[in-house]
Amino acid sequence: MSSKVAGALRIVAAMTVVVSLVGAGCLGRSPWIVVLATPALTLLYALGKFRQWQLAWRAGGSKSIALGVLVALPIQLVLGYVFYLVGRGLASLIEPAPIAAFGTADVLAVGLMLLIGLGFSLAIIKLERNATAPVADQAAHPTDEVELDMDQRPLTPETFFKSPGYWRPDPLREALEGRGKRVAKPALAASELEIAAAEERLGFRLPESLRALYRMLDGGYVGALYVPLKTDPGPVYDDWRGAFSIDYSSLSPLKDLRTVRAHYEDFTDDPDDIPTQADTLLVLQSRYGDMTLLDYSRPGEPRVSIVDFDRNGDLADITFETFDAFFQALRRPKEEKPRSFNRELFRSKPLGDLPGDGRATAFWGDANHPFVNTAKGRDDGWHPKAMADDALINETEARIGAKLPEVFKHLWRAKNGGDVAYRFLKDGPDGEFEPFEELAPMEYVVTLAELSRRIDFSPGETPWHESMAEADKLVVLNAKREVMVLLDFRREGDPSLLVVDDFDACGIDNARAFDDIDAFIEKLRKFERSPLLPSPL
């Protein structure tokens, strides 16, 4: 009921503003009344978008609000004059009133419009808060809007990390692009020796539970994590504080751990700019002055503090007596259920429905070429050919010791690798998956055995050409992080296509295999949203 009343009031409030400005034009009030009304219109607009402006304040403080006002003011000025001129136009159809001089009556009229608008806006905000508050939480938080639907289950070491993180080097991609260059493949987890070496470098011993996390993964992406700022936090941002610099949401690897002083010395040598006790504060993650710290300023177990030095100086937003207490307080927002929509509406017809002579060009679309972009960034002066020719095809087949499928050679003749437009494959009645988002240029195509020989594996890890049978008969078409696309020549006859999502963990044991490569390519579809359809995002 509250939401319906709020909706009706929103309409009435908007009409009040519009009628006021149109009326000013009809009555021949001075055009300067619109200039006077613009700040009031901007304030009413902000209150009408109260939720968005509230989030902008929390994300960027006064700077975000100031930028928002600078954008909103000219827009409201233009809209005000549009309605004013509509009023002048309507008056001219009847009996145009002469334009009066700007005076006290105009100021009073704008003030009255502002007071009426404020009344409506504050009532709408209160009604919408009541409408969105969950019934179960209303007793404890009767006015709280649900901004953070927090999962109340405590984290465990197994649920702490979400992934190794995209900042981490990608040895598979580097070895593929390096065309023979040797690449180090360090272990994802830190060893006891690496932890001890980091502690010796820093001069601090890490908490045991943090050391255990590093033994699982040497830093990585942890996702959105928060800690409560009060004993009984509501589902609103003001009651929670983002941990690990919420925009980054990562625990730094051991090699990047350093003190606050070392962090600030990157951009200042003024002692007044450096926070107090900077030598005893160890940065677990930072975004400018927003930091999650281990505080070694007192003997014994370090405390954990979350501080925004840019906003609050040395005053911590929240401090925990131990890392264990901090870890136990961490909570993750519930994952939002994706809005249901028919993916079929956003997919083109299969590639095989296109005329044969246009399929290769359509397959690539207008997408960019990350391999060429990377090659141009190197200083060796070499980058892949724009399109494959007979010489490149023959050289590639001789190098891998196998004949490539005709359909792939046809595609490479149109464009020699890069991002792919036709990248989605229907997977059953209700699903689909993305076999690959790009394919390497022909110059990079290599056997898995050769790719393995380019890599210096971490101690205790067996190279793939030693652990996998007939690795020289698996041809890599693309490799990126854990994803690998291969041609499998281990059987008689035509090769099959293998798509692996977790190669480093499982090898090719969980690969999706496609025996008929021509049929596979023909079934691929691309994202193609009609402007008349709603966005799937």
Side-chain angles (χ1 to χ4, degrees):
M1 184 63 183
S2 295
S3 60
K4 292 181 179 180
V5 175
L9 286 180
R10 192 177 290 278
I11 294 172
V12 173
M15 292 304 300
T16 300
V17 172
V18 171
V19 169
S20 298
L21 293 169
V22 172
C26 286
L27 297 174
R29 305 311 306 173
S30 170
W32 287 104
I33 194 173
V34 179
V35 177
L36 178 65
T38 296
L41 295 174
T42 302
L43 175 61
L44 296 177
Y45 167 77
L47 290 173
K49 300 282 186 180
F50 183 74
R51 171 78 169 86
Q52 291 89 330
W53 285 73
Q54 191 178 39
L55 294 179
W57 169 260
R58 289 168 183 161
S62 58
K63 183 177 180 181
S64 294
I65 297 299
L67 291 174
V69 169
L70 288 176
V71 172
L73 275 172
I75 295 174
Q76 297 304 314
L77 178 65
V78 171
L79 287 174
Y81 271 115
V82 167
F83 293 127
Y84 176 85
L85 292 174
V86 168
R88 293 298 300 160
L90 291 175
S92 67
L93 297 176
I94 307 171
E95 182 178 352
I99 296 179
F102 184 77
T104 305
D106 298 305
V107 177
L108 293 175
V110 170
L112 179 62
M113 181 191 71
L114 177 60
L115 288 174
I116 295 173
L118 282 174
F120 279 124
S121 299
L122 295 176
I124 290 168
I125 291 171
K126 184 174 182 180
L127 287 168
E128 289 184 341
R129 277 187 172 177
N130 291 339
T132 56
V135 175
D137 291 338
Q138 283 185 3
H141 306 281
T143 61
D144 285 347
E145 180 181 355
V146 178
E147 298 171 344
L148 277 175
D149 189 9
M150 202 66 71
D151 188 343
Q152 294 302 324
R153 292 174 298 178
L155 267 65
T156 66
E158 291 72 25
T159 61
F160 177 68
F161 290 108
K162 302 285 281 187
S163 74
Y166 278 92
W167 44 262
R168 192 183 296 271
D170 183 0
L172 273 69
R173 183 61 169 259
E174 289 182 17
L176 188 69
E177 291 183 324
R179 303 177 73 238
K181 178 183 176 182
R182 298 205 64 77
V183 174
K185 186 176 182 292
L188 293 178
S191 67
E192 284 291 348
L193 289 177
E194 290 170 325
I195 295 173
E199 291 174 333
E200 183 176 359
R201 171 177 62 84
L202 297 166
F204 301 113
R205 181 175 175 82
L206 300 177
E208 287 301 326
S209 51
L210 180 58
R211 298 173 100 252
L213 292 175
Y214 277 116
R215 286 194 294 270
M216 297 179 65
L217 198 63
D218 184 10
Y221 179 65
V222 299
L225 290 177
Y226 293 83
V227 292
L229 291 174
K230 57 197 306 186
T231 303
D232 185 23
V236 293
Y237 285 103
D238 284 344
D239 290 0
W240 296 85
R241 177 62 161 88
F244 298 103
S245 302
I246 198 68
D247 286 354
Y248 295 168
S249 298
S250 296
L251 172 65
S252 295
L254 287 169
K255 67 180 181 61
D256 292 339
L257 293 181
R258 54 183 182 161
T259 63
V260 168
R261 177 175 296 279
H263 175 87
Y264 270 85
E265 286 176 346
D266 284 347
F267 53 86
T268 182
D269 55 5
D270 186 348
D272 294 336
D273 292 337
I274 299 177
T276 58
Q277 297 182 319
D279 292 316
T280 61
L281 301 175
L282 193 63
V283 183
L284 298 181
Q285 184 54 261
S286 67
R287 182 185 183 276
Y288 304 108
D290 185 358
M291 302 184 184
T292 302
L293 308 169
L294 288 178
D295 182 357
Y296 289 88
S297 61
R298 66 176 188 179
E301 186 83 1
R303 291 176 292 183
V304 177
S305 291
I306 304 179
V307 183
D308 191 337
F309 290 113
D310 293 338
R311 281 194 188 180
N312 306 323
D314 296 340
L315 182 64
D317 288 344
I318 187 169
T319 296
F320 298 88
E321 287 302 305
T322 64
F323 185 84
D324 285 343
F326 165 70
F327 191 86
Q328 291 168 11
L330 288 171
R331 293 294 184 271
R332 199 185 302 279
K334 293 179 181 177
E335 293 186 6
E336 293 185 8
K337 294 182 179 178
R339 290 189 300 170
S340 61
F341 64 94
N342 184 0
R343 291 182 180 272
E344 293 292 313
L345 298 175
F346 306 97
R347 298 289 179 259
S348 69
K349 293 181 179 180
L351 185 65
D353 287 2
L354 299 180
D357 57 354
R359 292 179 189 174
T361 302
F363 173 80
W364 300 104
D366 298 325
N368 66 5
H369 203 315
F371 296 92
V372 171
N373 295 340
T374 302
K376 288 181 177 179
R378 297 194 297 256
D379 57 3
D380 57 11
W382 180 93
H383 57 84
K385 290 183 177 180
M387 295 176 287
D389 53 21
D390 289 341
L392 179 57
I393 292 173
N394 293 335
E395 183 276 329
T396 302
E397 291 181 332
R399 179 161 44 80
I400 64 175
K403 289 289 184 181
L404 292 166
E406 289 298 326
V407 65
F408 276 117
K409 290 192 282 188
H410 181 60
L411 296 175
W412 271 310
R413 287 183 186 275
K415 182 180 178 182
N416 187 25
D419 285 349
V420 171
Y422 278 78
R423 61 207 294 177
F424 299 99
L425 189 69
K426 193 170 182 180
D427 186 27
D430 301 316
E432 65 177 8
F433 84 106
E434 192 174 349
F436 43 69
E437 61 181 28
E438 60 188 15
L439 289 176
M442 266 199 168
E443 293 92 336
Y444 294 168
V445 172
V446 66
T447 66
L448 182 61
E450 171 59 25
L451 188 71
S452 173
R453 293 188 183 97
R454 297 175 183 176
I455 297 174
D456 294 327
F457 290 82
S458 59
E461 187 176 4
T462 305
W464 304 319
H465 64 278
E466 297 178 7
S467 63
M468 299 179 64
E470 298 184 291
D472 57 334
K473 293 184 178 180
L474 293 167
V475 175
V476 181
L477 302 184
N478 200 54
K480 188 175 183 180
R481 306 247 171 233
E482 296 294 298
V483 179
M484 194 173 286
V485 183
L486 310 106
L487 291 173
D488 186 356
F489 288 92
R490 295 176 300 174
R491 65 178 188 178
E492 293 293 330
D494 295 332
S496 58
L497 184 74
L498 304 182
V499 179
V500 189
D501 291 330
D502 51 356
F503 181 81
D504 203 41
C506 304
I508 61 174
D509 292 342
N510 296 334
R512 292 180 186 250
F514 302 93
D515 293 333
D516 189 338
I517 294 178
D518 287 351
F520 164 81
I521 295 293
E522 290 182 355
K523 291 178 182 178
L524 291 172
R525 301 188 297 167
K526 71 174 181 177
F527 176 88
E528 190 174 67
R529 181 169 66 87
S530 165
L532 300 178
L533 294 173
S535 171
L537 302 179

